[in-house]
Amino acid sequence: MLHDRVLVSLEGQQGERKSGGGIVIPATASVGRRLSWAHVVAVGQNVRQVEVGDRVLFDPQDPAQVELGTKEYILLREKDLHAVAAERVQDGRTGLYL
């Protein structure tokens, strides 16, 4: 990985979802802009806030998709990330950085 690039693997399927009340929402339903969570698989040398294994929140509109072997990944810039959910928490912190 070069510069400020982050390679992520999407969580779950992009298909239908369930609401909090258990209602199934089909993949074809029209919804507003929705952000997606993904796991970081690799980072470039200039990435400062994210480490491999973190969960990140990003906007999936027009992603740069990459296929390695049989698995698909998304290539992002660090500035395109909206939040980081990290396991490395310190005293009294939530582990979610916006």
Side-chain angles (χ1 to χ4, degrees):
M1 299 300 302
L2 297 175
H3 311 294
D4 65 341
R5 304 290 191 226
V6 178
L7 189 68
V8 299
S9 173
L10 283 177
E11 295 179 357
Q13 298 294 329
Q14 293 294 336
E16 59 186 36
R17 302 180 308 275
K18 277 193 177 180
S19 71
I23 298 172
V24 176
I25 303 168
T28 57
S30 176
V31 293
R33 190 168 143 193
R34 184 174 182 89
L35 300 178
S36 295
W37 284 100
H39 285 283
V40 176
V41 223
V43 296
Q45 70 268 21
N46 294 335
V47 173
R48 294 181 270 162
Q49 302 294 321
V50 181
E51 294 178 7
V52 173
D54 288 349
R55 289 179 63 217
V56 293
L57 187 65
F58 71 99
D59 185 0
Q61 302 288 67
D62 195 29
Q65 294 183 347
V66 177
E67 187 174 323
L68 297 172
T70 60
K71 190 156 170 127
E72 284 195 14
Y73 298 95
I74 295 179
L75 186 61
L76 302 167
R77 296 186 82 150
E78 186 179 23
K79 70 177 186 156
D80 295 333
L81 302 177
H82 295 279
V84 178
E87 293 291 327
R88 56 183 189 284
V89 297
Q90 298 171 350
D91 300 327
R93 299 192 186 243
T94 64
L96 182 62
Y97 303 97
L98 300 175

